[in-house]
Amino acid sequence: MDSNNIDKHSSDIQEDNIKSPRTNHMEYMEGMEILHESTVMDEVIGAMNEYDYNTFTGRDVANALKKDTCSIEDFKAFLSPAAIPLLEQMAAKAREERRKHFGNNVYLFTPLYIANYCENYCVYCGFNCHNKIRRARLDIDGIEQEMKAISATGLEEILILTGESRKMSDVTYIGEACKMARKYFKMVGIEVYPMNSDEYAYLHECGVDYVTVFQETYNSDVYETLHLAGHKRVFPYRFNAQERALKGGMRGVAFAALLGLSDFRKDAFATGMHAYLLQRKYPHAEISFSCPRLRPIINNDKINPKDVHERELLQVMLAYRLFMPYAGMTISTRERSDFRNHVIDLAATKISAGVSTGIGGHGNKEEQGDDQFEIADDRNVDEVVAAIREGGLCPVMNEYVFV
Ligand code: SF4
């Protein structure tokens, strides 16, 4: 498709979205797979609605800190405002747990955005279909050039991202990118639009190891007001993406709420419960968390994470580590380098380096498409590796052995 057709395609989507009345965000659209037997969503939402963090006291937090294993009630206490004065004690215990399960390893990866076309209207995102930005999609040669350049930095894990457009980034296009990634990397993740389990199975065959889907917020009423058009508007289809990915044979799944969109304590609790319940249902699954906060976007630099300051973000990360000590956890380039260096010692296990959230730009060429959001840490791979070593930790590119 040439660029004129691509531009026309984008404006068609915008017009469709403007004309069509808002759909029911709890109703599946045609072609979306429904997991009739799964009760996970109802359990998570029920638990979240019952969670009243103001009922927890400092004594609840102190008692939870004395235990060897963290119950759901303890997790609630760790996420409550009463835990703020005890963050140092939580950090010490989280660090101990992190050491037990991961030693001093810190895993590195980088995201590669291959397309920024999107059919959704998420009001907080720079890629949304109404935002006037430069749109681009790399062809397979462009993807290979980017991957070669990234691989030359020593990285062995890549996370492939697209905007959420089935039309502009169909499953086969993503599959070809993943097959290419397998040539250059030992671990391949995707962060693309939610799919049906047979499509996840296809992408797994193409070489994908894990799938990341951010639920953004678990409050479906707030979700509705932020996701105004497109497939993403369907809350339950997005919610069940990780379970469909596991049914499709993926080895790992990652969870996140975009902290700052809604009540972050409830969202963090729901994220933990979602991961916990799927781990119980699929014991072989490799579970991990991401901990993104809202960031300014092109054409809207007023967007900010409201009451989720670094202190609160740290609290959430420590609570995840204590609740699921064996789970992976990624710290985003949305955060400052100092903060990132600090949390890889306490809670996070994975850090991105050499990051660009635009399309292209890793090779010799200029970026062809605009960024999804502003990053706060632009260090390259060597700089992040050096910082990890300075902190007495061990940078690890990959630890999977393929036979
Ligand atoms: S958050 Fe994802 S789905 Fe929403 S506008 Fe951005 S790229 Fe599209």
Side-chain angles (χ1 to χ4, degrees):
M1 190 174 286
D2 66 29
S3 59
N4 286 341
N5 285 340
I6 288 171
D7 289 344
K8 178 170 182 330
H9 172 88
S10 272
S11 57
D12 285 350
I13 290 168
Q14 292 185 12
E15 255 182 43
D16 285 353
N17 281 339
I18 291 164
K19 277 188 221 144
S20 54
R22 303 261 181 262
T23 52
N24 181 346
H25 67 295
M26 298 307 282
E27 252 174 38
Y28 284 78
M29 291 180 182
E30 201 182 326
M32 290 180 169
E33 179 183 0
I34 303 176
L35 300 182
H36 290 285
E37 80 293 354
S38 180
T39 57
V40 174
M41 188 174 91
D42 289 345
E43 286 179 68
V44 170
I45 303 303
M48 179 186 74
N49 289 341
E50 275 174 21
Y51 176 36
D52 180 357
Y53 44 75
N54 287 321
T55 60
F56 290 84
T57 64
R59 178 171 295 199
D60 295 323
V61 181
N63 285 339
L65 281 167
K66 287 186 201 140
K67 297 185 190 167
D68 287 336
T69 54
C70 177
S71 67
I72 293 171
E73 288 305 298
D74 297 332
F75 180 45
K76 288 179 180 173
F78 288 141
L79 284 172
S80 72
I84 291 284
L86 293 164
L87 276 190
E88 268 188 43
Q89 290 88 325
M90 276 174 66
K93 194 173 169 74
R95 187 171 187 273
E96 225 175 84
E97 292 295 340
R98 194 206 172 289
R99 285 289 181 290
K100 255 191 243 167
H101 294 273
F102 296 92
N104 61 357
N105 288 355
V106 182
Y107 303 93
L108 284 107
F109 78 105
T110 207
L112 172 62
Y113 287 74
I114 59 172
N116 64 1
Y117 290 91
C118 191
E119 288 155 19
N120 293 318
Y121 185 13
C122 311
V123 297
Y124 50 83
C125 174
F127 284 177
N128 83 59
C129 64
H130 293 294
N131 204 19
K132 300 260 179 275
I133 61 166
R134 279 182 305 152
R135 304 275 171 180
R137 178 183 61 181
L138 297 179
D139 61 16
I140 198 69
D141 290 341
I143 291 171
E144 180 159 26
Q145 276 177 27
E146 290 287 288
M147 288 181 178
K148 255 190 204 162
I150 292 167
S151 164
T153 65
L155 290 173
E156 296 184 6
E157 176 175 340
I158 195 161
L159 176 64
I160 295 173
L161 296 98
T162 62
E164 298 199 10
S165 171
R166 267 187 185 267
K167 285 181 196 150
M168 298 306 295
S169 312
D170 63 28
V171 177
T172 314
Y173 168 72
I174 296 169
E176 291 306 309
C178 296
K179 285 184 204 164
M180 182 65 76
R182 251 301 171 249
K183 264 175 67 181
Y184 291 95
F185 302 96
K186 295 195 176 132
M187 180 93 118
V188 179
I190 50 168
E191 192 173 330
V192 299
Y193 47 85
M195 296 174 182
N196 293 345
S197 52
D198 58 340
E199 294 170 316
Y200 282 126
Y202 164 72
L203 291 180
H204 183 53
E205 274 173 29
C206 293
V208 179
D209 299 291
Y210 67 94
V211 171
T212 296
V213 180
F214 291 3
Q215 185 61 29
E216 319 296 11
T217 175
Y218 284 81
N219 180 324
S220 65
D221 292 341
V222 175
Y223 187 97
E224 182 192 7
T225 64
L226 299 172
H227 304 99
L228 301 180
H231 283 71
K232 185 165 177 179
R233 187 162 163 79
V234 182
F235 179 91
Y237 187 68
R238 192 166 191 88
F239 185 100
N240 286 318
Q242 285 91 346
E243 187 160 6
R244 293 192 304 275
L246 291 171
K247 283 180 179 294
M250 292 291 175
R251 193 174 75 218
V253 283
F255 301 80
L258 181 51
L259 302 171
L261 285 181
S262 183
D263 183 330
F264 79 91
R265 296 185 193 282
K266 286 198 168 228
D267 269 339
F269 175 66
T271 308
M273 286 303 293
H274 192 180
Y276 170 80
L277 291 173
L278 278 190
Q279 182 79 86
R280 285 212 319 196
K281 197 166 173 185
Y282 301 88
H284 63 280
E286 290 179 14
I287 299 287
S288 60
F289 294 105
S290 291
C291 310
R293 289 194 296 165
L294 272 179
R295 292 285 296 162
I297 61 172
I298 292 179
N299 304 327
N300 191 347
D301 59 6
K302 300 277 180 318
I303 290 183
N304 68 67
K306 292 182 214 144
D307 50 352
V308 192
H309 306 288
E310 281 184 356
R311 184 182 68 165
E312 285 73 23
L313 175 61
L314 176 64
Q315 180 185 10
V316 168
M317 297 182 77
L318 298 174
Y320 287 159
R321 174 57 57 223
L322 294 169
F323 184 46
M324 294 183 69
Y326 43 82
M329 194 188 302
T330 300
I331 179 66
S332 166
T333 40
R334 296 163 195 256
E335 305 305 331
R336 293 180 307 116
S337 56
D338 287 359
F339 182 81
R340 298 178 91 213
N341 291 346
H342 188 48
V343 294
I344 52 174
D345 189 37
L346 302 176
T349 55
K350 201 189 262 193
I351 188 165
S352 47
V355 170
S356 158
T357 67
I359 310 303
H362 286 98
N364 295 325
K365 286 192 183 162
E366 289 279 295
E367 273 187 8
Q368 295 169 40
D370 280 331
D371 295 347
Q372 186 179 29
F373 56 84
E374 289 178 15
I375 61 172
D377 181 0
D378 60 3
R379 289 176 297 170
N380 65 27
V381 175
D382 289 344
E383 289 167 325
V384 173
V385 163
I388 292 171
R389 291 212 172 100
E390 263 168 42
L393 299 164
C394 177
V396 176
M397 296 303 180
N398 174 66
E399 64 175 7
Y400 286 89
V401 177
F402 294 93
V403 287

